[in-house]
Amino acid sequence: MQTFSFNTTPEAIQSLAKHIIESAKACIEEKGSFNLVLTGGNSPKMLYNILADQYKNEINWEVVYFFIGDERHVPSNHKDYNGLMARENLLNPLNIKEENIFLVNTSLTPQEAAEDYYARILKHFNQATINFDFTLLGMGADAHTASIFPGTTICKINPNESIEAVFVEKLNSWRISFNATLINQSKEIAFLVFGKDKLDAFTSVQSHPNQLEYPASLIQGNVFWYTNFN
Ligand SMILES: O=C1O[C@H](COP(=O)(O)O)[C@@H](O)[C@H](O)[C@H]1O
């Protein structure tokens, strides 16, 4: 695990954008494609804008495949649908083809949506182990990451990769999320975390690896933290 602390959020985001593009270039050169998992929420908007603007001509975006690590069970045109935010800030500006975009079909029930999403991703990976190249994550002030919230059914040690429908009681809503094992299979994982309100969670996660109380601590492997808590 490596932590990069910045004095400002734009600096953190610029550095992360550079990291993603370098990884994409290396993967594309090695195997001709790049499988990138996007994160939701508010934090990544500026990152997506920078990728779609400054890095528009840096890589061949036609061989990049996009996924979303978690989704809210709301219609796909709802402002809370993570995929909509990804489309508006990254996928549409880059004119990404539909066949390269893997989002959650929330017209299905949460359970069906999770199964359908997993089946489509598994097919993309030729029914073999799902190893994304790069997974972006955020973290909430309660230390949740993706939609692995403390105390929910997906927040457990499970050796098997999965995409699950999870009811988050404190939000009174359904989410569809990658589990920690699936995330941990990614070649690289990067958190983008900023804001004073997240400093306590960050400190707890760093000092308590693999603790269910702090779901982001379940994320292990080739993990990079891009942070600014000023
Ligand atoms: O609900 C969610 O929250 C986390 C953190 O979001 P942020 O706006 O505080 O950055 C996010 O990573 C996740 O994808 C999203 O569904």
Side-chain angles (χ1 to χ4, degrees):
M1 182 179 72
Q2 285 184 66
T3 299
F4 304 114
S5 308
F6 296 85
N7 288 325
T8 68
T9 299
E11 283 174 280
I13 291 174
Q14 283 289 353
S15 184
L16 174 54
K18 207 164 155 239
H19 183 165
I20 295 166
I21 296 299
E22 277 166 11
S23 298
K25 280 181 180 167
C27 276
I28 293 169
E29 197 177 313
E30 189 193 318
K31 62 184 176 81
S33 66
F34 183 58
N35 291 301
L36 173 62
V37 180
L38 303 174
T39 180
N42 287 315
S43 305
K45 285 183 189 169
M46 191 192 289
L47 171 68
Y48 296 165
N49 293 157
I50 287 170
L51 289 173
D53 181 23
Q54 286 178 34
Y55 292 99
K56 192 162 80 182
N57 301 314
E58 280 277 316
I59 59 167
N60 177 8
W61 290 100
E62 288 194 358
V63 294
V64 180
Y65 294 87
F66 298 87
F67 308 82
I68 194 91
D70 76 303
E71 190 53 89
R72 291 97 182 255
H73 193 254
V74 293
S76 59
N77 59 357
H78 190 284
K79 65 173 179 41
D80 292 340
Y81 185 73
N82 282 332
L84 180 63
M85 182 276 293
R87 282 192 190 280
E88 288 176 345
N89 292 282
L90 180 69
L91 307 173
N92 293 349
L94 286 172
N95 283 319
I96 303 296
K97 301 176 284 192
E98 262 327 289
E99 65 211 64
N100 285 33
I101 303 173
F102 292 77
L103 297 177
V104 180
N105 179 356
T106 49
S107 68
L108 303 170
T109 65
Q111 192 58 49
E112 286 168 353
E115 283 167 19
D116 165 75
Y117 191 40
Y118 183 69
R120 282 187 285 126
I121 294 176
L122 197 58
K123 190 171 171 211
H124 174 74
F125 282 87
N126 299 317
Q127 313 294 333
T129 306
I130 299 170
N131 296 112
F132 296 107
D133 295 308
F134 202 107
T135 297
L136 283 167
L137 291 173
M139 184 186 72
D142 59 358
H144 85 267
T145 190
S147 282
I148 311 174
F149 284 80
T152 57
T153 50
I154 195 174
C155 189
K156 59 177 183 268
I157 307 293
N158 172 0
N160 303 314
E161 65 179 32
S162 68
I163 297 179
E164 297 177 30
V166 54
F167 186 73
V168 184
E169 232 171 272
K170 72 175 174 182
L171 302 175
N172 192 29
S173 62
W174 282 94
R175 299 284 187 106
I176 291 94
S177 182
F178 289 5
N179 77 345
T181 300
L182 179 53
I183 295 170
N184 291 346
Q185 286 167 193
S186 183
K187 206 191 278 179
E188 293 183 275
I189 301 165
F191 281 89
L192 174 63
V193 180
F194 54 84
K196 285 191 178 113
D197 59 322
K198 295 182 179 176
L199 178 58
D200 284 352
F202 173 75
T203 309
S204 301
V205 166
Q206 301 270 309
S207 49
H208 299 90
N210 276 312
Q211 291 269 324
L212 298 179
E213 208 182 330
Y214 309 109
S217 76
L218 303 178
I219 306 307
Q220 301 286 327
N222 199 11
V223 184
F224 303 86
W225 288 79
Y226 286 80
T227 66
N228 164 41
F229 298 115
N230 289 328

